[in-house]
Amino acid sequence: MTTLGVVFRPQNPPERLRSVARAADEAGLEELWLWEDCFLESGIAAMTAALAWTERLKVGIGLLPVPFRNVAVMGMEAATLQRLFPDRAIITLGHGVQDWMGQVGARVDSPMTLLREHIEALKALLAGETVTTTGRYVQLDKVKLDYPPLGTTPVYAGATGPKTRALACEVADGILLTAGTYAHEVAAVREAAKAITVYVYAATGPDAAERMARELESWGESERTDTTAVGDAAAVAAVVKRYQAAGADAVILQPTADEPDLEGFVRFVAQDVRALV
C-alpha cells in the first residue's frame, strides 16, 4: 500500500506547525514532511518538535543541504532523533540550492562529490561503524557514535537532475522527487531506486483550480498540469494511484502556498483520500 503524506511548507511560520502536526496525528495521516529552505525554518528543530507533539506520525525532512553540516554532527542529530522517536524520523539529504550555498559561504566546486561522501560516511556512522575517511570534502579520523541508532536508519537523497537521481539511487536508501515530477519520471528510476517518495502538487475546495494555476506559475511550471492533483477526494486519489502505478512507495501531497486550511487539508488527505487509495 502506498504511503500518503502532506508537506508542511516553511513559508508557514513555525508556530503553525504544532496545530498541523497534531491534526495529522489525530487524523491518522502517515507522514508529514518538512523543508529546510533558506532562510526559513530549521529542519532538525522543526522535526524534533513535530515528533514530540505527536504519538505515531512519521516526520520527514526533504531535504537537509549537506554543505551546511559536518557529517559527524549530522550523524549525532540523526541518531539522537531515531533513539528518541524510533522509526519515525526520515532523514533526506541533498546538495542544496547552489545560490543559497554561495550566500552562506558553503558552496563547493563539486556538489555531487560532497553529497556522495556525506551519505556514505553518514550511513557508516549510523550503522555503528568507526569511520576514517579522507575524501575531497569529508574527513573523519576514527569517529564512532557513542549512541548509534538501535535499529536500521535509512538515509534518503533528494534529486532533480538525472545525475543526482543516479547518485541517489546508487548510494542512498531511497530517493525523494520534487513536486512537478511526472509519473513517467518515477517509473524511470523505479528499477534503480531502493524506495521512492514523490511530492505531488495538490489542492481541494471550490477555488482549487485557481489556486493551483497560481502555484504552478509561481514555480515557473504552468505547463506541468499533469503533475497536479486538483479537486475532490476521488480526483486527488486518481492522481495518487497514477504515481502508485508508476512505482512510488510514498506520495506526499504538497498544498498550495495559499492553502486556507492546513489542518483541514491534512484531515482531507488522511481520511477522504486515504479511503480511496
Side-chain angles (χ1 to χ4, degrees):
M1 182 174 69
T2 299
T3 297
L4 278 182
V6 169
V7 174
F8 177 87
R9 298 171 56 162
Q11 287 78 12
N12 299 298
E15 57 270 23
R16 290 283 288 115
L17 178 58
R18 181 174 185 169
S19 176
V20 175
R22 286 187 165 179
D25 201 43
E26 291 166 3
L29 187 71
E30 293 142 81
E31 295 182 1
L32 184 69
W33 281 73
L34 312 172
W35 298 351
E36 192 174 70
D37 277 2
C38 298
F39 297 95
L40 297 167
E41 295 163 14
S42 159
I44 293 293
M47 169 181 268
T48 304
L51 289 166
W53 288 326
T54 57
E55 297 294 330
R56 45 151 302 280
L57 182 70
K58 289 188 176 183
V59 180
I61 303 178
L63 48 73
L64 295 163
V66 295
F68 271 177
R69 290 176 174 80
N70 180 281
V71 69
V73 175
M74 187 68 252
M76 293 163 62
E77 290 179 328
T80 299
L81 283 166
Q82 291 290 5
R83 290 182 72 124
L84 288 172
F85 310 102
D87 300 319
R88 292 177 57 207
I90 307 168
I91 300 295
T92 307
L93 305 179
H95 49 55
V97 176
Q98 295 311 295
D99 287 346
W100 289 341
M101 298 304 100
Q103 280 184 270
V104 299
R107 187 166 186 166
V108 298
D109 291 335
S110 179
M112 296 279 287
T113 301
L114 171 57
L115 184 59
R116 175 187 291 276
E117 291 180 358
H118 194 110
I119 291 174
E120 290 177 343
L122 178 61
K123 289 178 65 177
L125 288 170
L126 295 178
E129 299 175 16
T130 299
V131 182
T132 296
T133 182
T134 54
R136 180 175 177 181
Y137 299 108
V138 175
Q139 292 96 34
L140 297 175
D141 182 14
K142 299 177 183 177
V143 175
K144 186 178 188 297
L145 299 177
D146 284 355
Y147 294 104
L150 297 176
T152 302
T153 305
V155 177
Y156 280 51
T160 52
K163 291 182 179 179
T164 311
R165 288 180 181 179
L167 175 64
C169 290
E170 179 188 350
V171 302
D173 299 307
I175 185 171
L176 173 65
L177 300 172
T178 61
T181 299
Y182 289 106
H184 68 80
E185 296 178 86
V186 174
V189 299
R190 177 63 277 177
E191 184 175 348
K194 300 175 183 70
I196 300 173
T197 293
V198 59
Y199 291 163
V200 175
Y201 294 119
T204 190
D207 60 347
E210 291 80 6
R211 288 191 289 112
M212 184 56 67
R214 291 194 297 269
E215 182 72 16
L216 291 178
E217 183 179 4
S218 73
W219 291 98
E221 297 186 345
S222 295
E223 78 286 355
R224 289 182 175 256
T225 54
D226 286 349
T227 69
T228 67
V230 179
D232 61 12
V236 173
V239 175
V240 171
K241 290 178 181 178
R242 187 198 315 155
Y243 282 90
Q244 179 184 38
D249 299 288
V251 176
I252 311 303
L253 298 175
Q254 179 177 308
T256 61
D258 56 358
E259 166 58 50
D261 181 7
L262 289 170
E263 291 83 358
F265 185 80
V266 299
R267 286 190 287 267
F268 165 76
V269 175
Q271 297 170 352
D272 299 348
V273 178
R274 174 82 274 174
L276 299 175
V277 175

